[in-house]
Amino acid sequence: MAPPLRKNPRRDGSGISRRSLLLGAAALGATAGCARIDTRAAEEGGDLLDRLRAEGVVRLGIASEVPYSYIGDDGKLTGQAPAIAEVIFGRLGVDNFQPVLTEFGSLIPGLNSLQFDVVAAGMWINPERCRSVIFSDPDYVAKDAFIVAEGNPLGVQDYSDLVEAGARVATGPGWFQADYAVGNGYPAGDIQTFPDQVAGLDAVRQGRIDAFFGTAPTIVAAARDSAGVEATEPFTPVVDGEEQIGAGGFAFRPTETNLRDAFNAELHQLKDSGELLEIVEPFGFTEEDMTDLTAEELCTE
């Protein structure tokens, strides 16, 4: 299991329990009238960073996906994205954070309806999402992989193999890998959706599907030490003869360019110093997963 987040010197170090997380999300909904601020009235570029500094807390929209953002067995928030967020927001003068747990497919709607301030869930950057939010530059790149039954009885290694084998497949809610499967000829209506990788793993183990697909870090982490299943070798998806590069980062509301730009400046310092790799290594990321791609490149049609 990945370690909990490093303690910030100005936090009490007590961690955030699953119960507190859920209660916090409920409280946000109950107090939406006072918690939600119309940023349309803000000056150009948004004033969210100033408000976060004044309040001393940032609300992170997260989804339960290992290794990106999740609640560990100890009941504390952990993951690659929250770990990065804690360091960067600490440097920006925001020393505490409040996680808001939601389904992955609800992260962008939740961000734009002011349920939280930033999406910290390793979200892949692509043109479709860039029409709804603005992204930091990516903090990682990742290949794809499948959870399959032990021994990989169908011998599937990429999306075209799933089509040829007539495999029964599934992925997570809002995960972009479904488009890769469809781009290789898999019928969109035949792709099942499960709440998360744990549910997908169980479906493979029980023989209800033949493969569950997602980003390699998620798939490898889920299949590790799980009886009856295994992860396939990570691969770069190909659609219409072109490799599909998957890279993820943090999402912000389109009005909040000041916050995004300040976040990016700190992110680039972490990359240049090598600190970013040190932060994410405990969650299974390596030098190979680091990238110099920009959000602008990934958002281009």
Side-chain angles (χ1 to χ4, degrees), residues 17 24 29 31 53 65 83 89 95 115 118 142 176 184 190 218 222 225 244-245 269:
S17 69
T31 61
R53 284 169 170 162
E65 184 179 356
F89 277 104
D95 296 309
Q115 293 178 32
V118 182
F176 205 66
N184 277 271
D190 291 344
T218 294
D225 301 324
Q244 306 298 306
I245 305 301
Q269 288 190 25

Side-chain angles (χ1 to χ4, degrees), residues 36 59-63 100-136 173-176 179 247-255 299:
R36 297 182 178 182
R59 297 171 299 168
L60 303 179
I62 68 168
V100 182
L101 180 64
T102 187
E103 289 187 354
F104 189 89
S106 298
L107 285 168
I108 288 179
L111 175 68
N112 284 329
S113 63
L114 309 183
Q115 293 178 32
F116 33 84
D117 304 307
V118 182
V119 172
M123 179 174 283
W124 280 28
I125 305 168
N126 61 57
E128 179 181 356
R129 289 172 178 160
C130 293
R131 289 191 285 270
S132 300
V133 297
I134 56 174
F135 282 95
S136 68
W175 294 11
F176 205 66
D179 291 338
F250 291 74
F252 305 81
R253 285 187 287 277
T255 53
C299 288

Side-chain angles (χ1 to χ4, degrees), residues 25-229:
L28 281 176
T31 61
C34 61
R36 297 182 178 182
I37 299 173
D38 187 358
T39 57
R40 290 173 298 181
E43 61 183 286
E44 184 177 358
D47 64 353
L48 181 56
L49 179 56
D50 291 336
R51 290 191 279 113
L52 295 179
R53 284 169 170 162
E55 296 167 2
V57 60
V58 57
R59 297 171 299 168
L60 303 179
I62 68 168
S64 181
E65 184 179 356
V66 179
Y68 301 112
S69 60
Y70 59 101
I71 304 300
D73 292 340
D74 58 1
K76 296 180 181 179
L77 175 67
T78 187
Q80 173 253 17
I84 296 172
E86 183 172 42
V87 173
I88 290 181
F89 277 104
R91 294 185 178 187
L92 292 175
V94 185
D95 296 309
N96 299 285
F97 54 88
Q98 179 179 0
V100 182
L101 180 64
T102 187
E103 289 187 354
F104 189 89
S106 298
L107 285 168
I108 288 179
L111 175 68
N112 284 329
S113 63
L114 309 183
Q115 293 178 32
F116 33 84
D117 304 307
V118 182
V119 172
M123 179 174 283
W124 280 28
I125 305 168
N126 61 57
E128 179 181 356
R129 289 172 178 160
C130 293
R131 289 191 285 270
S132 300
V133 297
I134 56 174
F135 282 95
S136 68
D137 287 332
D139 48 74
Y140 77 96
V141 293
K143 297 180 179 180
D144 285 6
F146 307 149
I147 296 176
V148 296
E150 190 171 8
N152 194 3
L154 295 182
V156 292
Q157 297 294 338
D158 59 26
Y159 291 107
S160 62
D161 290 344
L162 298 177
V163 178
E164 293 176 10
R168 299 164 299 164
V169 305
T171 189
W175 294 11
F176 205 66
Q177 283 72 27
D179 291 338
Y180 295 158
V182 172
N184 277 271
Y186 200 95
D190 291 344
I191 301 174
Q192 300 180 55
T193 301
F194 290 103
D196 54 35
Q197 65 278 8
V198 177
L201 184 151
D202 287 340
V204 172
R205 180 185 286 144
Q206 295 163 10
R208 292 185 283 124
I209 59 173
D210 301 305
F212 180 86
F213 45 79
T215 64
T218 294
I219 296 303
V220 171
R224 186 182 296 120
D225 301 324
S226 296
V229 301

